[in-house]
Amino acid sequence: MRRAIAVNRFGLGSRPDDRIDDPRRWLLGQFDAFEPRPAPIAALADATTNMARYFDFVAARRQARAMQDAVTAPGVEPEVDAETVHDFVRDHARHIYADQAVARITQSLTAPAPFVERLVHFWANHFAVSIDRFSTLGIAGNLEFEAVRPHVLGRFSDMLLAVERHAAMLMYLDQFRSIGPASAAARRLAELRPEARGRGLNENLAREVLELHTLGVDGGYTQADVQELARALTGWTIVGQRPVGDAPRGSVLFRPLLHEPGERLLLGRRYAATGEAQSRAMLADLALHPATARHLATKLARHFVADDPPKPLVDRLAAAYSGSGGDLPTLYRVLIEAPEAWATPLAKFKSPWDWSISALRGVGLRSADRRAVRMVGEVGQPVWRPGSPAGWGDTAATWAGSDALMRRVEAAQQLAALIPVADARALAPLLFGGSVSPSTAAAIAGAESPAQATALLLVAPEFQRR
Amino acid sequence: MPTRRSLIVGAGAGALASLMPTLALAAPATERRFVFILLRGGMDGLNTVIPYADPAYAAARRQLAIDVGEGGGHKLDGQFALHPSLARTAALYGQGEAMAVHAVATPYRDRSHFDAQNLLETGGARPHLVRDGWLNRLLALLPDAGTRGVALSPALPLVAQGIVPVTTHAPSALPGASADLIARVGRLYADDALLQPLWAKAVEARGLDGSGAAAGLPVLAKLAAGFLARADGARVAVIESDGWDTHAQQLIRHGIHLSHLDAALGALKDGLGAAWADTLVIAATEFGRTVAVNGTGGTDHGTASAVLLAGGAVRGGRVVADWPGLAPAALHEGRDLRPTTDLYALLAGALADHLALDREAAGRALFPGASIRPIEGLIRS
C-alpha cells in the first residue's frame, strides 16, 4: 500500500513499467532526478519570444491599416484593439498554447521525478494565470516553465519574485499597464493629453499577491496595504510596441519613469524610495511572513493529505517553513516523513488533471498530442484555465460532480478504444499497488471486451482517488 | 409508493430500467421555477443599470460613462437606464417581466472575490462560517427536494452544495458512453458512498438532456430551460457565469458579457414556454465595482451592485432602489456605491413569496446568523 500511496498521492499515477522498491527513498531521490528544463519544454519558445511575436503582429497590423498611434507619453503603451487581439489568438496564440500544453502533458507522462512534477503543477496553480483572458493565452505555459520549474526545489521567495515579474503575470493581472500617478510618465501624459488624465494605478496584482500568493485572505492586510504595494510595483512592464534601449521587444523591464516615487508603508514597515529594489524588499518580507507560512502549509497539507488538513501537520509544515527561511525541499521532506500522508484509505478525490494524467500513464502512453490536451479539458480542467487567479479548487467538493464523473467514463471509453491494453486484469494490480477490490476485479474480468475492461479499470473507485 | 431515494439505490444495484427519468419521477408538488444566475468576478452595477440622472455619474465614469441620451441605452424611468446590450431584458421590462434592484450587497464589506463569493453562495454572516450553499438549503424546504435541483456546471458550485443531492450537467464534446458501459459502471459504484449517488444523478441527467452544443451562458440557459420546462423536471437551477472582473478595457468586456446575459434571459423565456409565467430568475454578483474609473480603463473591486430579476412571476417594470447617490461624500469608504439594500433580504423575500414559504422561516434557513427583514412585494401576488 505504501507503494500505491507514493505513486498515486505523491506522484502522478502508476506506469506499467514502474520499478519502485523503497517508496520513501524513491520520493527523496527525486530531488536529484528532477529536470528543470527537460527536452519537451526546452524545445519551446520563451516568453520574450512569444510576447515579441504578439507585438510584431500588432505592429504589422497597424502598418497595414496605416493607423496612427494615439499620442502617448514615453513608457506608456498605446491600447491594442480587440480585433487585432482576436486575430493573433486565432492565427498564433492558440497554437503556442497547444504546444505548451502538449509539452506539459508529455513531461508528466515520462518525467523521472513525478513527485516534483506534481509540485510544479501545485505551485503553478498557486500562482494561477488563466487563458480565458486572451492576452495570457500564448504565455501561460511560460510562467510555469520559466518562473516555477527553476525554483520548485529552491526558496519560495525566489519563486515569488520570478512569478510576479513574469510577463504572463504582469499581463494577466494588468500590472504591465499600471502607472504611478505621480510618476514622470503620468505627468508627461497629462501634459500631452489632458483627456487621458487618470491613466494610472491598477491594484489587481498587488491585491492577489497579498490575498492569494503570500499572506492569504485572513493575513491581516488592509486596503491601504494593497494600494501601497500597488504603488511600489509600478515600473514593472513589458517592452511592447515601442522598443526601449537594448531591451528586446517582449521582454520584462523595470522602467523608472513609470514608477511611483516615494517611501512606502506596508504592514507597518517603511520601505525607502529605492526604485526597483522597493517592491523586491516588500516581496522578500511577504515571503517570510508567518501568515504566508501558515497559508502555504495549509494548501500543501490539503493537497497531499486531506480536504480538511490535520492541524498538527499544518503546524509542523509552517514551523519548517519559517525555520528554514522558506526552503521548499525542507517542507517536502516534512510531508514525506508525515504519518498523516501515508494514511489509508486514499482520502483525496482526483482532480480531472490528476485523473487524466494517471489514466494516460496507466495505459502506458509515453508522448502526448493535442488530443490529450482536449481530453484534459473535456473532463473538466482545461490546462492553465482555472478561470480566476485563485486557481483550481483542491477538494472533492470542487470535482466530485455527477456530470464530471460521466465525462471520465466517456473519456475512459474513448481512451481505451484508442490505446489497446493487452490484459487489464494483469494491469490492475500494477496500478493499484497490489490491492484490487473484489468488485473492481469482478467488473474487469466480466467485461464484454478488452477495451471495456480497460475503461472500467480507469473509472474504478480505486482509480478515482489518490 | 417507493421514494425517489430508494429507486436510485435500486438502480445502483443493477436495475437500469428504473433509472429512466420518466419512470422515476413523480409529479412535482410545485409549478414554481427558480433560476439563479451567479455572476462571478464582481459585475459593475453602475454600467448595467445606469443611474443616468445622477449628476455625478458622467463625471465619475469619464470614458466609461454611457450616454443614454443618444440612444446609447434603454431608459427605464426618469432615473435609470439599462446598458445598450440588454435589449431583450429591456423588452421584458416593458412587459412587466423584468425589474432591477440597485445598490444591493451582501453583508460583506471587504474586497476579496473569494470571500465575497463564499458569502454570496453560503448565505453566512461571515465568510467560511457556513459550509453548505443557500440554494441547497432552499431545496430542502421544497417537496421532493432530491429530484428538483440542477446545476449547469461540470461540478457542483458551492451555492448548491449540501445534503440535498443536486444534478450537475454541462455540454460535453465527448462521445457518449455506451448503455452497457453505463450499466456496468453503475454496478461498480454500487457500494461507494461518494460515487454511487453522483453516478445515479449523472445517468438521470443524460436521459433528460437532448443537446450537445458548445458552452456559453445562453446555451447553459437553454439547457436549464429544458430541465425546468418538463412537468416532471427540475424546479431550481443554477447557472454560473464568470469574467465580470473588469479591471481593464471594461467598455468592451462588460458589454460582451451583458449581451450573453441578455441572450440567456431570452433563452430562458423561449425555452420555458408556458412555464415562464411561473418562473423567477435572479442574476446577482458578489460585489460591485468602484465608482471611479481606474488607471487602466476599468474599475476595481467595490461594494454595492445591481441585481436583475426576470420571469413571469416577477412584479416587474420598475427599478427598486433607495438610491444613495454618487456624489463623493455619499460613497462607501469614499470610493464605492453605498449599499442600501441587503441581498440576503432580497433573496429571502423574493424566494419565500415565490415558493409560498414563510418569510421569516425562509430567511433564517437560507441566511442563518444574518438578521434580515425579507423584502416584500417583489413577486406578483
Side-chain angles (χ1 to χ4, degrees):
Chain A
M1 198 61 203
R2 280 180 71 85
R3 187 185 158 275
I5 286 173
V7 173
N8 291 304
R9 186 176 296 165
F10 286 93
L12 297 171
S14 294
R15 291 187 53 88
D17 50 2
D18 278 340
R19 297 289 173 269
I20 298 163
D21 299 322
D22 180 339
R24 184 176 156 276
R25 285 184 50 181
W26 178 70
L27 291 174
L28 291 168
Q30 295 189 25
F31 297 157
D32 297 321
F34 175 69
E35 301 167 327
R37 210 171 122 77
I41 289 169
L44 299 171
D46 65 8
T48 302
T49 308
N50 286 334
M51 286 304 302
R53 284 173 71 177
Y54 170 67
F55 287 117
D56 288 344
F57 185 88
V58 172
R61 175 65 64 90
R62 297 182 84 85
Q63 202 166 18
R65 291 189 189 160
M67 285 169 78
Q68 292 294 311
D69 280 353
V71 176
T72 177
V76 180
E77 283 291 321
E79 296 284 342
V80 180
D81 63 290
E83 189 191 343
T84 302
V85 174
H86 176 269
D87 291 350
F88 180 74
V89 167
R90 185 196 56 207
D91 297 345
H92 300 284
R94 65 193 183 94
H95 301 294
I96 299 172
Y97 163 76
D99 291 345
Q100 291 177 343
V102 166
R104 187 197 219 222
I105 296 173
T106 296
Q107 179 62 15
S108 300
L109 298 181
T110 56
F115 170 42
V116 187
E117 297 292 336
R118 171 177 288 284
L119 289 161
V120 167
H121 307 151
F122 171 85
W123 291 115
N125 189 52
H126 177 75
F127 293 112
V129 295
S130 185
I131 59 159
D132 47 2
R133 281 198 73 174
F134 280 168
S135 53
T136 317
L137 188 65
I139 45 170
N142 293 116
L143 181 85
E144 177 175 317
F145 302 154
E146 294 157 19
V148 174
R149 293 191 73 92
H151 301 293
V152 66
L153 296 175
R155 286 183 186 277
F156 180 75
S157 52
D158 294 330
M159 192 191 292
L160 179 69
L161 201 60
V163 165
E164 310 305 357
R165 294 173 172 197
H166 193 274
M169 190 60 81
L170 297 176
M171 289 289 277
Y172 179 53
L173 292 179
D174 306 309
Q175 183 64 33
F176 76 106
R177 36 167 121 233
S178 187
I179 303 170
S183 67
R187 278 182 279 124
R188 182 78 183 117
L189 189 63
E191 285 167 24
L192 291 168
R193 283 177 64 201
E195 78 282 7
R197 177 181 53 89
R199 179 91 204 259
L201 202 63
N202 191 298
E203 61 187 49
N204 205 4
L205 176 66
R207 178 182 308 283
E208 305 309 9
V209 166
L210 294 172
E211 176 178 334
L212 300 174
H213 300 167
T214 61
L215 305 178
V217 67
D218 298 319
Y221 59 90
T222 65
Q223 175 64 23
D225 291 317
V226 171
Q227 285 169 333
E228 283 290 86
L229 180 57
R231 291 184 187 108
L233 285 167
T234 51
W236 284 106
T237 191
I238 302 166
V239 180
Q241 298 165 49
R242 301 173 172 203
V244 184
D246 296 338
R249 188 178 261 183
S251 62
V252 169
L253 186 69
F254 182 81
R255 303 207 61 191
L257 68 119
L258 297 174
H259 181 65
E260 180 74 355
E263 184 183 83
R264 305 260 80 87
L265 186 68
L266 181 72
L267 298 171
R269 184 175 291 196
R270 292 196 177 282
Y271 292 86
T274 50
E276 174 185 349
Q278 190 178 51
S279 62
R280 181 198 298 267
M282 287 178 172
L283 290 171
D285 287 345
L286 286 170
L288 293 179
H289 194 284
T292 302
R294 190 98 210 143
H295 181 207
L296 301 180
T298 305
K299 284 187 80 170
L300 269 171
R302 177 176 298 129
H303 185 74
F304 282 97
V305 176
D307 292 358
D308 278 319
K311 186 169 178 302
L313 175 61
V314 174
D315 292 343
R316 297 205 301 281
L317 285 166
Y321 182 92
S322 297
S324 68
D327 179 58
L328 295 175
T330 302
L331 283 185
Y332 308 154
R333 285 193 191 89
V334 170
L335 277 172
I336 294 171
E337 304 300 344
E340 295 95 327
W342 298 89
T344 54
L346 300 178
K348 291 292 290 184
F349 187 77
K350 285 181 183 174
S351 71
W353 166 262
D354 283 334
W355 180 83
S356 307
I357 295 302
S358 60
L360 296 172
R361 289 172 66 94
V363 298
L365 200 68
R366 296 200 69 87
S367 75
D369 59 24
R370 291 188 184 191
R371 286 175 299 177
V373 179
R374 270 204 300 281
M375 170 177 151
V376 173
E378 280 161 354
V379 297
Q381 198 177 6
V383 179
W384 299 310
R385 192 177 184 172
S388 100
W392 302 103
D394 202 1
T395 60
T398 312
W399 298 121
S402 50
D403 191 66
L405 197 57
M406 178 61 85
R407 289 177 185 217
R408 289 185 192 190
V409 172
E410 290 168 346
Q413 176 183 266
Q414 194 177 38
L415 184 62
L418 285 170
I419 301 169
V421 167
D423 187 352
R425 287 170 302 180
L427 182 58
L430 291 178
L431 300 192
F432 301 141
S435 57
V436 185
S437 72
S439 57
T440 297
I444 294 170
E448 67 170 4
S449 68
Q452 193 184 59
T454 303
L456 287 165
L457 166 63
L458 297 179
V459 300
E462 301 96 311
F463 204 82
Q464 301 282 7
R465 296 177 168 94
R466 51 175 269 260
Chain B
M1 184 76 193
T3 64
R4 173 77 189 125
R5 191 89 200 130
S6 67
L7 278 167
I8 289 178
V9 172
L16 184 69
S18 67
L19 273 176
M20 289 301 134
T22 46
L23 294 180
L25 291 165
T30 177
E31 283 302 316
R32 293 274 167 160
R33 273 91 170 161
F34 171 55
V35 182
F36 185 57
I37 305 180
L38 209 174
L39 309 172
R40 293 189 192 276
M43 181 194 69
D44 179 37
L46 292 175
N47 270 14
T48 303
V49 182
I50 304 156
Y52 70 89
D54 191 307
Y57 169 75
R61 279 295 161 112
R62 295 207 308 265
Q63 75 268 34
L64 294 189
I66 293 167
D67 186 353
V68 298
E70 294 175 10
H74 309 278
K75 279 192 185 173
L76 302 177
D77 55 21
Q79 205 176 352
F80 296 101
L82 285 176
H83 187 279
S85 295
L86 293 172
R88 187 82 196 264
T89 311
L92 292 174
Y93 183 97
Q95 293 154 20
E97 294 183 345
M99 64 179 293
V101 185
H102 220 318
V104 184
T106 69
Y108 184 71
R109 291 291 176 273
D110 284 320
R111 295 187 181 84
S112 154
H113 287 301
F114 315 106
D115 281 0
Q117 287 179 26
N118 183 274
L119 270 203
L120 176 65
E121 297 189 73
T122 62
R126 291 200 310 279
H128 310 290
L129 209 59
V130 176
R131 300 300 289 262
D132 53 7
W134 60 260
L135 196 96
N136 195 284
R137 297 196 297 278
L138 174 72
L139 279 164
L141 301 176
L142 301 182
D144 300 331
T147 64
R148 296 297 171 227
V150 61
L152 282 301
S153 319
L156 209 54
L158 177 57
V159 70
Q161 289 177 22
I163 54 165
V164 177
V166 174
T167 303
T168 58
H169 183 73
S172 165
L174 288 164
S178 75
D180 184 51
L181 181 61
I182 284 174
R184 287 167 193 263
V185 172
R187 289 197 285 276
L188 186 53
Y189 291 168
D191 297 324
D192 193 298
L194 174 69
L195 300 178
Q196 188 279 327
L198 292 176
W199 185 247
K201 290 237 148 252
V203 173
E204 181 193 323
R206 280 293 135 120
L208 283 170
D209 165 38
S211 151
L217 192 56
V219 175
L220 296 177
K222 184 161 179 262
L223 282 173
F227 278 92
L228 295 164
R230 296 173 59 115
D232 58 356
R235 287 295 172 266
V236 175
V238 56
I239 307 173
E240 297 173 274
S241 159
D242 47 21
W244 297 89
D245 192 20
T246 47
H247 284 281
Q249 294 166 308
Q250 166 163 326
L251 220 47
I252 300 167
R253 292 167 59 198
H254 183 67
I256 291 171
H257 282 98
L258 282 180
S259 67
H260 292 165
L261 177 60
D262 191 61
L265 293 175
L268 284 170
K269 177 173 165 117
D270 297 343
L272 279 161
W276 177 252
D278 284 317
T279 297
L280 165 68
V281 184
I282 298 181
T285 188
E286 74 262 29
F287 48 51
R289 309 194 69 80
T290 48
V291 172
V293 182
N294 68 12
T296 49
T299 49
D300 293 321
H301 302 181
T303 307
S305 187
V307 174
L308 294 177
L309 291 82
V314 170
R315 203 154 72 77
R318 64 215 171 101
V319 180
V320 174
D322 176 6
W323 188 244
L326 296 178
L331 301 183
H332 174 66
E333 295 182 355
R335 59 181 256 164
D336 302 339
L337 178 63
R338 181 182 300 282
T340 54
T341 296
D342 180 357
L343 178 63
Y344 289 177
L346 185 164
L347 290 169
L351 289 166
D353 289 356
H354 182 54
L355 297 165
L357 305 169
D358 177 76
R359 279 195 201 106
E360 306 302 324
R364 279 193 303 274
L366 301 184
F367 305 107
S371 63
I372 54 166
R373 294 169 56 87
I375 297 175
E376 301 178 22
L378 296 169
I379 302 298
R380 243 179 247 283
S381 51

